[in-house]
Amino acid sequence: MKTLASTGLAAVFACALTHAALAAEPHVHGVGTLQLVMEGSRLTIELRLPAMDVVGFEHAPREAKHKEAVNKAVALLKDSRQILEPLAAAECVLATTEVESELLEHEHDHSQHDHAEGEVHADFAASYRFECRRPEALKHIKVTLFQRLPRLQKLEVESVTPTGQRLQRLVPGQDTISLL
């Protein structure tokens, strides 16, 4: 049975995601977004990054080197340990992960996107769901993306936790999400 608090937190998260989707427009190279929700023992993280920052291009991968770059990016993003470091004391275990990108589609129809003539945009979206045995111990999360993706300059973070909502901007050298 859902409690009013969990339903309320989910509603707040939905509003936060809507705001983040609007804030993410227009597509800006060097800037990614991360939404985080802590509800009970479940930690959910949604990450969106411009493909240019991840693989160095946004066009459909036609050459072997481009296909290899996309495959390496998917492997990197699927391995949450390469992206995020929740506090060990929280005992969080990855339950699910998913990575999507227009670059993974074989016949992508660019006519459905709003951008200038000839301009192509693609993103990588990754989602992670963790189950934490000691969620109360989760005080911060270190994001290690800046070391792995040097084109990434800024990460806009929205978090919703039992202690409230928070907006944060991470940059190289300041790469820890505070959950207090």
Side-chain angles (χ1 to χ4, degrees), residues 69-143:
V70 169
N71 290 336
K72 284 183 178 180
V74 169
L76 170 75
L77 294 171
K78 278 189 175 182
D79 185 355
S80 66
R81 296 166 300 177
Q82 299 290 318
I83 306 301
L84 308 160
E85 294 177 6
L87 280 176
E91 299 179 28
C92 296
V93 176
L94 183 65
T96 63
T97 185
E98 185 176 329
V99 176
E100 297 177 351
S101 175
E102 295 89 347
L103 300 183
L104 297 172
E105 299 174 12
H106 296 290
E107 295 182 14
H108 180 66
D109 180 8
H110 292 286
S111 66
Q112 296 176 357
H113 296 286
D114 295 327
H115 43 69
E117 185 70 29
E119 188 177 350
V120 177
H121 292 300
D123 293 316
F124 279 87
S127 61
Y128 310 93
R129 185 173 55 83
F130 295 87
E131 293 297 331
C132 301
R133 291 185 62 191
R134 298 190 55 238
E136 70 281 357
L138 192 58
K139 307 296 184 207
H140 65 269
I141 298 174
K142 183 166 177 64
V143 177

Side-chain angles (χ1 to χ4, degrees), residues 5-162:
S6 67
T7 304
L9 190 56
V12 169
F13 178 58
C15 289
L17 286 180
T18 301
H19 172 73
L22 293 174
E25 295 296 329
H27 172 99
V28 178
H29 296 167
V31 180
T33 60
L34 185 147
Q35 290 87 37
L36 175 150
V37 173
M38 185 75 204
E39 188 171 18
S41 64
R42 180 174 290 174
L43 172 65
T44 304
I45 296 174
E46 301 283 335
L47 176 67
R48 180 168 290 280
L49 303 166
M52 183 63 76
D53 301 337
V54 180
V55 294
F57 59 89
E58 294 187 317
H59 58 76
R62 292 176 289 277
E63 299 177 31
K65 68 180 180 180
H66 293 145
K67 291 177 182 178
E68 181 181 347
V70 169
N71 290 336
K72 284 183 178 180
V74 169
L76 170 75
L77 294 171
K78 278 189 175 182
D79 185 355
S80 66
R81 296 166 300 177
Q82 299 290 318
I83 306 301
L84 308 160
E85 294 177 6
L87 280 176
E91 299 179 28
C92 296
V93 176
L94 183 65
T96 63
T97 185
E98 185 176 329
V99 176
E100 297 177 351
S101 175
E102 295 89 347
L103 300 183
L104 297 172
E105 299 174 12
H106 296 290
E107 295 182 14
H108 180 66
D109 180 8
H110 292 286
S111 66
Q112 296 176 357
H113 296 286
D114 295 327
H115 43 69
E117 185 70 29
E119 188 177 350
V120 177
H121 292 300
D123 293 316
F124 279 87
S127 61
Y128 310 93
R129 185 173 55 83
F130 295 87
E131 293 297 331
C132 301
R133 291 185 62 191
R134 298 190 55 238
E136 70 281 357
L138 192 58
K139 307 296 184 207
H140 65 269
I141 298 174
K142 183 166 177 64
V143 177
T144 57
L145 276 173
F146 296 110
Q147 293 88 0
R148 291 169 179 49
L149 303 175
R151 290 181 189 97
L152 184 64
Q153 298 301 309
K154 184 175 16 176
L155 193 60
E156 301 290 344
V157 178
E158 291 187 349
S159 59
V160 179
T161 68

